[in-house]
């Protein structure tokens, strides 16, 4: 089942965005353009992640506490399959490069083992799942399909990244030492895998060809999330930090060259942060806050704080729409999404950005926003 880019793009335009409600039992399907919740999806404890199949009208919803996943038909907006045997604390998921395998990683044990590890599920033509393989490892965290079409899995207690074959065999092909407690994994267009380190103040950039860390960047304490800004004359990677008031701005050209100190600046933003999002032109970023009721805008052309927007509660997770005219903000204290009108950023007027509207009717702590054109 090889994804077709044109089909996937056309389908995503009519597929709702999915929002996780961290303190409720369900996800919410949201029509962002209409500004309304169109359905509650799933039933379980601690909704965590959503993945969209690249060609089929299907999403995969993962729950941590109830340790199950659901296959959702996005045309009917209902669950068509539930998989309960995931072990304990499934925390990561990824779709294989051809869209025919789903991988799930556990932080504690596998269904038939006392060890954590990775499960593989074969995906049928209708998007439904069949158990297909397991690989015991150590405590798993984030996972991604790398630029070489292999599966990269953070190993939090081993301080390494396991590299597996992206098929039901799950052959262990490499174990790459990185920094303390690799947490989130991302893939760069430069052909590198990025790991931020929840147990320290750094991020590693791994070269799949050599199976080694090409360089390490300094970040704030407990980096979390990652965003790329393609600006007029720069290419930056942004790392928020859960226990630090600084956002790391990393020069990705220096990373590609293997520079020993690729961090351009640790930018003081006045609050701890969890996620960042960047405008399509790469000139501005928005970061959330763990402790304050506002989001902060960063001017990336001169690496300064450009302004703040009061949204209320504890804003967590920020996602721009594809045209950059709106930014959607989750929240840990409210049951709505704040929608920022970010059109003034195109005219370099960051102080004129405001909350243009709100999308009500979500569950408790709507703090993860998954868009079909991004989260495949």
């Amino acid at each position: 089942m090889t994804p077709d880019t044109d089909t996937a793009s056309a389908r995503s335009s009519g597929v709702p965005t999915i929002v996780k409600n961290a303190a409720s039992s369900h996800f919410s399907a949201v029509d962002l353009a209409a500004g309304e919740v169109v359905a509650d999806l799933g039933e379980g404890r601690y909704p965590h992640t959503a993945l969209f199949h690249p060609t089929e009208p299907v999403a995969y919803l993962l729950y941590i506490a109830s340790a199950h996943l659901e296959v959702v038909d996005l045309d009917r907006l209902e669950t068509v399959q539930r998989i309960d045997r995931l072990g304990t604390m499934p925390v990561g998921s990824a779709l294989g490069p051809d869209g025919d395998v789903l991988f799930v990683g556990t932080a504690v044990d596998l269904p038939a083992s006392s060890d954590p590890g990775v499960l593989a599920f074969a995906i049928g033509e209708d998007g439904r799942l069949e158990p297909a393989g397991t690989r015991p490892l150590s405590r798993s965290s984030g996972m991604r399909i790398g630029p070489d079409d292999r599966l990269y899995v953070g190993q939090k207690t081993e301080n390494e990244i396991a590299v597996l074959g992206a098929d039901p065999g799950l052959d262990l092909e490499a174990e790459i030492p990185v920094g303390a407690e690799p947490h989130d994994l991302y893939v760069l267009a430069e052909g590198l895998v990025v790991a931020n380190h929840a147990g320290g103040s750094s991020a590693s950039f791994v070269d799949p060809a050599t199976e080694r860390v090409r360089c390490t960047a300094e970040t704030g304490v407990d980096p979390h999330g990652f965003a790329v800004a393609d600006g007029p004359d720069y290419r930056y990677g942004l790392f928020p930090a859960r226990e630090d008031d600084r956002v790391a701005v990393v020069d990705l050209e220096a990373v590609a060259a293997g520079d020993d100190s690729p961090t351009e600046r640790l930018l003081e933003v006045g609050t701890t942060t969890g996620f960042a999002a960047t405008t399509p032109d790469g000139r501005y970023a928005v970061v959330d806050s763990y402790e304050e009721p506002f989001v902060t805008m960063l001017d990336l052309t001169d690496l300064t704080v450009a302004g703040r927007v009061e949204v209320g509660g504890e804003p967590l997770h920020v996602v721009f729409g594809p045209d950059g005219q709106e930014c959607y903000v989750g929240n840990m204290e409210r049951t709505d999404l704040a929608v920022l009108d970010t059109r003034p950023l195109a005219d370099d007027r960051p102080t004129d950005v405001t909350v243009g509207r709100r999308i009500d009717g979500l569950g408790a702590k709507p703090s993860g926003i998954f868009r079909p054109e991004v989260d495949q």
Side-chain angles (χ1 to χ4, degrees):
M1 187 184 297
T2 303
D4 178 87
T5 304
D6 293 335
T7 301
S9 177
R11 183 181 59 74
S12 69
S13 63
V15 172
T17 290
I18 294 178
V19 177
K20 84 170 185 183
N21 302 301
S24 291
S25 61
H26 64 278
F27 293 77
S28 295
V30 179
D31 184 328
L32 295 178
E36 63 181 10
V37 174
V38 295
D40 294 340
L41 302 175
E43 178 68 29
R45 291 178 289 118
Y46 194 176
H48 187 50
T49 61
L51 287 174
F52 297 87
H53 194 276
T55 58
E56 297 298 317
V58 168
Y60 302 97
L61 309 183
L62 184 65
Y63 286 78
I64 289 182
S66 53
H68 81 278
L69 66 84
E70 298 189 30
V71 182
V72 172
D73 183 318
L74 293 172
D75 289 334
R76 293 183 286 165
L77 293 176
E78 63 182 35
T79 296
V80 295
Q81 185 184 20
R82 175 176 171 132
I83 305 288
D84 286 297
R85 286 182 52 79
L86 296 184
T88 304
M89 286 187 66
V91 293
S93 59
L95 283 167
D98 295 326
D100 55 359
V101 186
L102 174 71
F103 303 100
V104 176
T106 70
V108 189
D109 54 83
L110 290 164
S113 171
S114 59
D115 294 319
V118 176
L119 299 137
F121 296 89
I123 300 176
E125 288 300 319
D126 60 356
R128 299 192 190 214
L129 305 174
E130 288 289 340
T134 61
R135 170 63 59 184
L137 294 169
S138 65
R139 182 180 179 184
S140 299
S141 52
M143 59 169 57
R144 293 276 173 165
I145 297 297
D148 55 359
D149 287 345
R150 295 189 293 176
L151 179 65
Y152 288 71
V153 185
Q155 299 291 277
K156 210 157 188 178
T157 56
E158 301 298 320
N159 299 332
E160 65 185 23
I161 294 175
V163 185
L164 308 176
D167 56 58
L170 293 169
D171 291 335
L172 180 61
E173 299 181 0
E175 295 169 300
I176 304 173
V178 291
E181 299 183 25
H183 185 64
D184 301 314
L185 300 187
Y186 301 89
V187 175
L188 285 177
E190 288 84 352
L192 302 176
V193 175
V194 185
N196 53 29
H197 300 300
S201 304
S202 68
S204 295
F205 295 84
V206 173
D207 184 343
T210 62
E211 297 178 348
R212 299 183 64 178
V213 173
R214 180 175 296 183
C215 70
T216 301
E218 182 184 5
T219 68
V221 180
D222 192 359
H224 192 255
F226 177 69
V228 172
D230 282 305
D233 55 2
Y234 54 79
R235 180 168 162 80
Y236 289 145
L238 306 180
F239 292 92
R242 284 177 162 177
E243 298 183 27
D244 204 312
D245 287 357
R246 300 172 299 171
V247 171
V249 181
V250 177
D251 183 342
L252 295 180
E253 293 181 355
V255 165
D259 195 307
D260 289 338
S261 302
T263 299
E264 184 79 12
R265 186 171 302 176
L266 291 172
L267 182 58
E268 293 275 358
V269 298
T271 178
T272 54
T273 54
F275 294 93
T278 60
T279 54
D281 62 10
R283 292 189 300 153
Y284 290 95
V286 175
V287 293
D288 56 17
S289 172
Y290 270 112
E291 299 175 343
E292 304 291 344
F294 55 74
V295 296
T296 302
M297 285 171 294
L298 309 180
D299 185 336
L300 299 178
T301 63
D302 59 8
L303 299 182
T304 59
V305 172
R308 305 192 194 280
V309 180
E310 192 92 6
V311 298
E314 292 182 7
L316 181 64
H317 207 217
V318 287
V319 175
F320 272 99
D323 58 9
Q325 296 187 14
E326 291 186 326
C327 181
Y328 308 97
V329 184
N331 208 290
M332 292 293 282
E333 287 189 350
R334 300 174 62 100
T335 57
D336 60 35
L337 298 183
V339 183
L340 306 184
D341 179 355
T342 51
R343 289 174 295 178
L345 295 180
D347 301 321
D348 290 318
R349 294 184 290 112
T351 57
D352 291 337
V353 173
T354 60
V355 177
R357 59 192 176 104
R358 292 185 183 272
I359 301 176
D360 299 308
L362 290 99
K365 299 186 178 182
S367 51
I369 304 166
F370 302 94
R371 285 175 34 219
E373 60 268 40
V374 175
D375 297 288
Q376 295 178 356

